[in-house]
Amino acid sequence: MASQQSYYGVTPPISTGESSEREKEVTVTLMEELRRQNVFESEVDSRTREIVLGRVASLVKKFVRAVSLTRGLSETAASAAGGKIFTFGSYRLGVHGPGSDIDTLCVVPKHVSREDFFDVFEPMLREAEGVTEVSGVPEAYVPIIKTKISGIPIDFLMARLALSSIPDDLSLADDNLLRNLDERCIRSLNGSRVTDEILRLVPNVQVFRDSLRCIKLWATRRAIYSNVNGFLGGVAWAMLVARICQLYPNAIAGAIVSRFFIIMYQWTWPQPVLLKQIEDGPLQVRVWNPKLYPGDRSHRMPIITPAYPAMCATHNVTASTQMIMTEEFKKGADIVDKVIVGKANWSELFEKHDFFHKYRYYLQVIASSGNSDLHMKWSGTVESRIRQLVMKLEYVDSLTLAHPFIKGFEQVAYCLSDEEVQLVAQGEISDVIANRKKEDIDGKEGTSSVYSTTFYIGLAIEPKQPGTVGPRRLDISYPTTEFTKMVKQWEHFNDSKMGIVVRHIRRSGLPDDVFDAGQRPPKLVQKRGKGAGKSSDISPHKPAKKPRLVPP
């Protein structure tokens, strides 16, 4: 921080030196490679975003005015009540790419409620020009409305301040604005406040943006960009890059990226990454403090948000995901070293992950249901619990690593019978079912659509000890049974409408949809009667009852 001290961050910089000629050269080639990789948005698309945000800003004022009138305010007071949008996340940081969403916070005065946000603003969005999708999730940890306007995805959060009107020049930097707010409003405000602080705490915003674009692309390609699955989300990656920028305030992007990998590979976790000292504030809320809270002590890779109240952005990291990220930092450092000395190209840093080639055994977690809206919520619930399964698997003897993949694979199967429905729910989708289209079942009695999302966890098993004889058994029945019990405790779970199956599968039995064209390894010919999940090494958990999925 630059107020009392002459440097940014919690320690003096490692070096204030300028970048070398070679570092300048590799920065030029890095930016060329990023353009080749299509991480920058076109000027036309950027202009579209600005137009859409202008329309959204007007709509929020219209929403506040409409609610104000229903609360008995005069026309003049209702118009003066204001309402303002703040962007945050990748768009506000200036590192968004083509097709990425805009995280948008709607700030409203005290007489506008969260119920109004979903009961009034959501219908207004549905009626707005160019809006194609609207989906409100009021029960989310941070309540959200997801929408698409003129082809641009926008995630809306809402924060209600203890003010009678919201002026156009409002800043969210003042901690006192958080007084008398409920926790959901504080969480909603946090995204915007953190983004603004990150930009304030880096010595050179353009160098930070160029470096972060590189790290975001690398993390995405290496399949380690996912907060929900125990890796790092966008804010955490941004804070790591910001910290390296603080340590080398006069370096340019190529040098920052090089130092990033070296420092992150050698970082002595659980020493936290801080962009500024943790501050107290006006609220009786929890601020991250491992000396005080045992939960905070358990964080493996703490990266702490710079805005009050300080929180850990990486509490989802597990032993397995930390090992995977550390290995990727090392690989990245080795590649960038070669780039610097001219023995490799930047494109090698962005090579795609090998997750589906890496392990001999995988777990498939299949969430299924008979209704698309219901399935979105059900599969999201299952995905949010995958990390718990990973943590349970980490306690299994002879399992050295449980590696979750960062996204699920979605399918819609059109089934002619209950028997086909049950097969699909178990992950058994024949070519006949896979190739069937909706029109093939339209008007036929007893047919149904099954929506499924399949998540994968790679299982690394410790090598067989010399001298041991006979097949090994890896018993994962307890963690998988506990996991299925846990997801079925979701308050909206309905056994007749939703299915959850956890089964193991050999690499050779992986379905085609997880591979890019031409990337699938040759399938082993298996004897009939031995399903993909049969193996002497792993005993699967199979639910006693196969779910029948009935569309509501």
Side-chain angles (χ1 to χ4, degrees), residues 148-168:
K148 207 174 246 191
I149 306 176
S150 300
I152 294 166
I154 302 183
D155 288 354
F156 285 106
L157 308 184
M158 190 205 88
R160 168 196 195 187
L161 299 187
L163 301 171
S164 54
S165 66
I166 303 297
D168 286 341

Side-chain angles (χ1 to χ4, degrees), residues 4-25:
Q4 297 294 313
Q5 58 198 34
S6 58
Y7 56 83
Y8 290 81
V10 293
T11 61
I14 292 172
S15 167
T16 55
E18 303 283 333
S19 290
S20 67
E21 284 307 310
R22 179 59 188 155
E23 285 168 342
K24 290 174 185 172
E25 287 168 19

Side-chain angles (χ1 to χ4, degrees), residues 247-260:
L247 293 170
Y248 297 90
N250 297 315
I252 54 175
I256 293 293
V257 169
S258 169
R259 305 293 193 283
F260 172 89

Side-chain angles (χ1 to χ4, degrees), residues 362-367 382 386 389 393 425-426 455 457 476-477 479-485 487 499-505 539-543:
Y362 296 82
L363 275 190
Q364 274 184 324
V365 179
I366 305 160
V382 171
I386 294 282
L389 175 55
L393 289 166
Q426 295 284 331
F455 304 98
I457 300 172
I476 54 170
S477 56
T480 55
T481 305
E482 288 298 299
F483 172 74
T484 52
K485 272 188 206 163
V487 292
I500 178 74
V501 170
V502 183
R503 65 173 200 163
H504 67 281
I505 186 168
S539 64
H541 159 66
K542 289 190 177 176

Side-chain angles (χ1 to χ4, degrees), residues 88 101-105 144-147 153-157:
F88 60 102
D101 60 10
I102 305 178
D103 294 309
T104 306
L105 173 69
I144 187 169
I145 297 174
K146 289 176 168 286
T147 184
I154 302 183
D155 288 354
F156 285 106
L157 308 184

